Amino acid sequence: MSHTFPNFPTDCKSLLCKYLSIEVFEELKDKQTSNGYTLHQAINSGVKNPDSGIGVYAGDEESYTLFAPLFDPIIKDYHGFEKSDIHKSNFNPDELKTVDSEQMQEYVVSTRIRVGRNISDLPLGSAITQQQRLDVEHKVSQALNNLNGELSGRYYPLQGLSDNDRDQLIKDHFLFKQGDRFLEAAGLNRNWPEGRGIFHNDDKTFLVWINEEDQLRIISMQMGGDIKAVFTRLHKAVSEIEKSISFAYSKHLGYISSCPTNLGTAMRASVHIKLPKLGDNMELFESIASKHHLQIRGTSGEHSQSKGGIYDISNARRLGVSEVQCVQDMYDGVVALIAKERSL
Ligand code: ADP
Ligand code: ARG
C-alpha cells in the first residue's frame, strides 16, 4: 500500500512532526522490518493523534535501526542521547542517596517505580501476533507464579476480572486504563483484552502488567515517600524475574521498549506529591521540573489532570543514565520542589 506524506496541523508539536521531513519520509516509506513492521505503522499514532508529544512506536528492535533517520533524532531530542553514546546500567539500591525525612512523608502521598521489559527475540506489542502475545502471557505468568516471599502473588487475566474489580484497580492506581487512543493507533490494543492482565502480591506493593504498552511493566509501589524501599523491592523483583526470562537489551539502547521515551532503563520513578502552591504557579513549577529533568503528570497517569493540588512527578530521562540516576533525578528534584513549595 502506498502512503503519502502526512498532513500535520500547523500547531503540531510532536517530535514526529519535528523530525519527519519529506526526505526522511521518502527514504523510509517502503521499508519494513523482518516482522513486516512499516514506517506507516511506526508513525500512525502520531499521525492520528497530532497532540502527541512523541508520536512513534517501534514494532521490534530492528525498527530502531531500519527507521534510524527518524528514530535517532527523536531519541536525541528526548533523552539528550547521541548515536555514538552507550547505555550503562546500575541498579544497585545501595548507591542511591536519599534521606527519608519528615518533609518527604508530609508532602509525598505515594511512591511508585516501574520498568518496562520485552522478551528477547520476539516482536514488540505493535507487531506481535495474537499467538505470540498469548505465549508471552503464559511464560510471564508462570515465571511470576514461582516467586516467593514478599513477591509471591497471583495473576489476574483482564478477561477474568469483573467490571467492578477492574475499575477499582484502575481507580486505585494499580492497573492500566482501557482504550488509550495513542496505543490504539499504534496497534498495541489489537485483540484487547485477550492476553492482558495484572499480577500482584497481597499488599499490592509488587505488580506486573502483562501485554500493555510493553510486554511487562514491573512495578514496585507503596504509600508514603520511602523511595529507597520501593527501589530496593523493584531491584529484587527484576533480578528474580531475570533468572527465568531473557529480556531484549542492546548495548547502545539498553532495554528495548515500544516507545522511544522508555529506552535504556525503561524506568519511571514517580511520587504523587502535594504541591498546591506550585500548582498555582505553573511557570515556576515547570522551570524547576525542567532543571531537574522531571516530568509533571496528573494523578491518574499520563495525559490526565491533577486533582486537589497533587501531582505525579517523575524522571524524564531514561536512556544514557543508570537506574540509580533515574531515581536520584526524581529524589533530588522532589527535594527542590518541596523547598520551593514551603517558601511560597
Ligand atoms: P506509566 O507509569 O507506566 O508510565 P501512567 O503514567 O499511565 O503509566 O501511570 C499508571 C498508573 O500508575 C496510574 O494510575 C497512575 O496514577 C499510577 N501512578 C503513577 N505514579 C504513582 C505514584 N507515585 N503513586 C501512586 N500511583 C501512581
Ligand atoms: N505516544 C504518546 C505521545 O506521543 C505517549 C508518549 C510517551 N508515553 C508513553 N506511554 N510511551 O504523546
Side-chain angles (χ1 to χ4, degrees), residues 110-112 114 170 172-177 209 212 217 221-222 268 270-272 297-302 312 318:
S110 52
T111 303
R112 173 182 185 267
R114 59 85 166 154
I170 296 173
D172 293 340
H173 306 290
F174 295 123
L175 181 62
F176 45 82
K177 53 188 190 298
W209 296 353
E212 196 240 9
R217 284 284 170 95
M221 63 197 284
Q222 67 190 46
R268 193 171 85 86
S270 67
V271 288
H272 277 182
R297 293 186 180 184
T299 22
S300 300
E302 196 173 25
D312 172 329
R318 315 195 214 288

Side-chain angles (χ1 to χ4, degrees), residues 250-311:
S250 111
K251 251 189 154 164
H252 175 49
L253 294 176
Y255 287 100
I256 300 300
S257 53
S258 293
C259 174
T261 62
N262 283 317
L263 288 165
T265 58
M267 173 172 281
R268 193 171 85 86
S270 67
V271 288
H272 277 182
I273 179 168
K274 293 176 237 169
L275 298 171
K277 291 180 185 152
L278 276 169
D280 284 340
N281 190 342
M282 281 315 285
E283 212 174 304
L284 176 64
F285 195 171
E286 277 165 8
S287 76
I288 304 171
S290 133
K291 186 170 153 218
H292 288 275
H293 311 287
L294 300 177
Q295 190 180 61
I296 308 171
R297 293 186 180 184
T299 22
S300 300
E302 196 173 25
H303 307 113
S304 74
Q305 294 301 312
S306 147
K307 277 189 214 115
I310 300 176
Y311 294 83

Side-chain angles (χ1 to χ4, degrees), residues 14-16 45-46 49 51-57 78 114 177 180-183 186 188 212-214 217 257-262 268 295 297 302-303 318:
S14 70
L15 296 185
L16 167 65
S45 190
N49 301 288
D51 58 338
S52 291
I54 314 297
V56 295
Y57 289 87
Y78 184 84
R114 59 85 166 154
K177 53 188 190 298
D180 182 281
R181 64 190 160 92
F182 301 89
L183 299 187
L188 275 154
E212 196 240 9
E213 178 175 326
D214 289 303
R217 284 284 170 95
S257 53
S258 293
C259 174
T261 62
N262 283 317
R268 193 171 85 86
Q295 190 180 61
R297 293 186 180 184
E302 196 173 25
H303 307 113
R318 315 195 214 288

Side-chain angles (χ1 to χ4, degrees), residues 158 163 166-167 170 175-181 189 192-193:
L158 211 50
D163 290 358
R166 183 199 60 216
D167 292 347
I170 296 173
L175 181 62
F176 45 82
K177 53 188 190 298
Q178 310 237 104
D180 182 281
R181 64 190 160 92
N189 291 349
W192 188 279

Side-chain angles (χ1 to χ4, degrees), residues 61-316:
E61 187 168 344
E62 192 187 338
S63 304
Y64 285 107
T65 43
L66 191 68
F67 304 124
L70 174 63
F71 276 93
D72 280 346
I74 290 180
I75 290 168
K76 179 165 180 234
D77 194 310
Y78 184 84
H79 298 279
F81 186 80
E82 299 282 348
K83 214 176 157 55
S84 54
D85 288 345
I86 287 190
H87 178 73
K88 280 212 183 75
S89 166
N90 175 8
F91 214 141
N92 181 359
D94 295 337
E95 292 190 32
L96 189 68
K97 295 185 185 65
T98 60
V99 180
D100 188 21
S101 68
E102 256 174 47
Q103 280 182 16
M104 285 297 278
Q105 294 301 348
E106 184 186 336
Y107 285 86
V108 175
V109 180
S110 52
T111 303
R112 173 182 185 267
I113 312 179
R114 59 85 166 154
V115 290
R117 291 287 184 270
N118 291 281
I119 298 181
S120 48
D121 304 322
L122 272 182
L124 299 167
S126 286
I128 204 165
T129 67
Q130 187 171 11
Q131 186 56 50
Q132 285 169 327
R133 190 188 301 107
L134 292 173
D135 294 344
V136 169
E137 181 189 37
H138 182 70
K139 186 175 174 145
V140 176
S141 57
Q142 283 227 319
L144 295 172
N145 282 333
N146 287 330
L147 296 176
N148 300 312
E150 187 194 17
L151 304 179
S152 90
R154 230 187 99 186
Y155 176 61
Y156 303 85
L158 211 50
Q159 278 175 315
L161 282 175
S162 69
D163 290 358
N164 264 350
D165 287 349
R166 183 199 60 216
D167 292 347
Q168 194 62 45
L169 282 168
I170 296 173
K171 196 163 155 265
D172 293 340
H173 306 290
F174 295 123
L175 181 62
F176 45 82
K177 53 188 190 298
Q178 310 237 104
D180 182 281
R181 64 190 160 92
F182 301 89
L183 299 187
E184 178 68 33
L188 275 154
N189 291 349
R190 288 170 302 130
N191 312 116
W192 188 279
E194 186 189 79
R196 280 78 174 189
I198 182 171
F199 173 94
H200 64 75
N201 64 2
D202 281 350
D203 294 341
K204 303 199 187 85
T205 53
F206 165 59
L207 310 96
V208 182
W209 296 353
I210 300 185
N211 285 322
E212 196 240 9
E213 178 175 326
D214 289 303
Q215 290 162 7
L216 291 88
R217 284 284 170 95
I218 307 172
I219 302 161
S220 168
M221 63 197 284
Q222 67 190 46
M223 298 308 283
D226 191 346
I227 295 172
K228 195 158 199 156
V230 173
F231 188 50
T232 303
R233 185 189 302 112
L234 182 67
H235 173 248
K236 187 168 142 201
V238 173
S239 311
E240 285 301 315
I241 298 170
E242 274 175 344
K243 286 182 186 163
S244 51
I245 301 181
S246 153
F247 293 126
Y249 187 86
S250 111
K251 251 189 154 164
H252 175 49
L253 294 176
Y255 287 100
I256 300 300
S257 53
S258 293
C259 174
T261 62
N262 283 317
L263 288 165
T265 58
M267 173 172 281
R268 193 171 85 86
S270 67
V271 288
H272 277 182
I273 179 168
K274 293 176 237 169
L275 298 171
K277 291 180 185 152
L278 276 169
D280 284 340
N281 190 342
M282 281 315 285
E283 212 174 304
L284 176 64
F285 195 171
E286 277 165 8
S287 76
I288 304 171
S290 133
K291 186 170 153 218
H292 288 275
H293 311 287
L294 300 177
Q295 190 180 61
I296 308 171
R297 293 186 180 184
T299 22
S300 300
E302 196 173 25
H303 307 113
S304 74
Q305 294 301 312
S306 147
K307 277 189 214 115
I310 300 176
Y311 294 83
D312 172 329
I313 302 296
S314 61
N315 60 298

